[in-house]
Amino acid sequence: MTNQPSPKSTGSPNIATKLDDWLDQRTGIDSILHETLDEPIPGGASWAYIFGSGLLFLFVSQVITGVFLALYYVPSADHAHTVVSYIVKEVTSGSFIRSIHAYGSSGIIILLLLHIGQTILYGSYKGRRELLWLSGCILLALMLGMAFTGYLLPWDEKAYFATAVGTNLVAEVPFIGPILQKLLRGGDQMGTLTLSRFYVLHVFVLPAMIIGFVAAHVFFFRKAGAAGPIREDPIKPKLPAVPFYPRQVFMDAVFAVVLIGILAIIAKAIPMSLGPAANPADTHFLPRPEWYYRPAFQWLKYLSGHWSLMGGIFLPALLALIFAGAPFLDRRLERRPRRRPISVGAFVIFLLAYISLGIASYRDDYRDPGMAVQMHKQDEDAKAFMQKPFVPEAAAGSPVAALAAADPKVLKGLAIFQAQSCNSCHGEGGIGTAAAGPLTGVGLKYTDAQLIALIHAPNSSMTNGGMTPVTLKAEDLEALAAYLDTLR
Amino acid sequence: MSAVGVSALLAIPLVRFSTYPLRRRATETDWSDVGPVDEFNSLTEPLAKTITLERRDAWQTTSSQTAVYVLPSKTGQFRILSPICPHLGCSVRWEGTQDKFICPCHSGSFTAGGQRIAGPPPRSMDILESRVEGGMLKVRYQYFRQLVSNKEVMA
Ligand code: FES
């Protein structure tokens, strides 16, 4: 292939050959292509080998969609939720791009499970492939880190509460736990610094590390060579080798198209929803992590007292260690799964335990009527929030904010608004929540006298929504109305 | 050699820069109003109340809302519980029908007085400092360390 003009190039083959020569003398492109594409695969191409390249493809897709999402994103606790809702509700194709990115992470986890499962079943970590395996283990950890740090960024209810729980778990690490937790959160509580730290990890630190370890992983793979079918000797393959190009490249490309096709269909059919903004005062919200963390979440339910340290930190650490040590522990060159009952059996047991814990977690939520109702309500809240039109923030220094700062009556109204807990239903600044509609713009619809009358004696549609009459002194009601006037 | 020197020179300030939250002084927590005392005199079960907290978040002061539970009292001595589960920090719910507090995350449960009954939480629910001043019930909202069996204020 390398010495032939590519079929796509236009013009006479003569020019193409010349161009190729010219380029090759300066870049060595032909030998690079030879290196990349003519990798020998013992036993030839197979659909069984598509997972690794599929992972690489999905990672690249995540990088691209992530870079584009960063065009609009602001990593600050007071803006993050607004900008994500801006992306989803206003920016053209915003919901689609965000959905591809969000579902892509699930796709990566699924492919990881397949890729790892296959490596274990095929025994393809054997035969001087320890470093290949270890770099893969680090990539797995980094990917889980990407999923964890990315989950917080929308700063909606589920992001906030799930991360609060997740970062509390960090505190359990012996000795350095509390310090580690404080470092990760950027303080004692979740806030702006937590968000910016997670953002920096998610877009700079972890991706840079992933790229480095992917390079190492591919390098080690090339160095050791493809392991080939199960019967093959992992060090000196006997089957005739067939080059990677064109058949394997074709299969990988088909798989990439299938992957992006599935993602696009899901993203179009069930766009990723965004819930209402994080509200730390909410005592009803049930935090639940992404599905692949559910088994770990369920596991924590069974541990109390001393067991929480044992089962929550030590056991997972031990499992991770055994997992990473697989090529050192399982040294025989035998690859057929049936002759390796221990390693394959351990993996199958782990998989079964993982799946049953996950199922138990979902079952618990649907069995308990109280929980089921609340889970359903959370879904409905997110749906309702998605349906609402986008409400821009009042920027500091904008007329609205300036007015509130200038007029003592408005300020007093704001204080009453908060003291009466109006904001717990209508949201901070009256932007509306799942519980009650926005108050923005009511000042344009009603006169102050009408507003006061409505607050004092809500009409039937308001009482149906849970609004209770507010009894206050006349001057307080006036201040409240003055404040509502400023909400635009 | 010089490369090592330069990196060492940068490394120390960089580490100090990124670990700044460890050195930041904790801000004193203020007393927040829970509501007029009369409101709580005839409670028969724990009542969730939303309070407003003034809190410093990085370069901003934000006023945020948080819930607390006011427990019924016969003697006029009010007890207020933090809703934060001492296990991993989920918000505990009051379940009137079962006469229990239940944590929705890993099913920890507590009595109506906040005593631990079962589940992963290592201790009972945390009592917050409270006092009555001029007919107003006030609370000092604090965070406590999770996962330890003693109540420790988080610095
Ligand atoms: S956080 Fe409450 S039981 Fe785990």
Side-chain angles (χ1 to χ4, degrees), chain A residues 165 300, chain B residues 85-92 103-110 119-121:
Chain A
V165 176
L300 291 174
Chain B
C85 180
H87 179 222
L88 288 175
C90 292
S91 294
V92 176
C103 178
C105 277
H106 315 100
S107 334
S109 57
F110 308 87

Side-chain angles (χ1 to χ4, degrees), chain A residues 78 168 188 192 197 281 286, chain B residues 18 57 60 65 88 104 146 155:
Chain A
D78 48 351
N168 271 328
D188 292 314
T192 281
R197 272 156 196 262
L286 300 180
Chain B
S18 56
D57 182 12
Q60 309 172 310
Q65 311 272 306
L88 288 175
Q146 259 86 37

Side-chain angles (χ1 to χ4, degrees), chain A residues 415-428:
Chain A
I416 295 170
F417 187 75
Q418 285 174 342
Q420 294 288 321
S421 298
C422 305
N423 48 354
S424 59
C425 290
H426 290 288
E428 289 297 345

Side-chain angles (χ1 to χ4, degrees), chain B residues 31-91:
Chain B
W31 290 83
S32 319
D33 289 347
V34 185
V37 176
D38 319 333
E39 206 182 313
F40 310 114
N41 277 333
S42 51
L43 285 185
T44 50
E45 57 168 28
L47 174 72
K49 267 307 263 187
T50 307
I51 60 169
T52 304
L53 283 181
E54 282 292 331
R55 190 167 78 86
R56 175 74 188 276
D57 182 12
W59 52 88
Q60 309 172 310
T61 37
T62 58
S63 79
S64 60
Q65 311 272 306
T66 298
V68 293
Y69 286 106
V70 182
L71 301 185
S73 92
K74 291 189 195 77
T75 56
Q77 276 287 340
F78 288 103
R79 278 199 308 156
I80 301 185
L81 295 181
S82 163
I84 297 182
C85 180
H87 179 222
L88 288 175
C90 292
S91 294

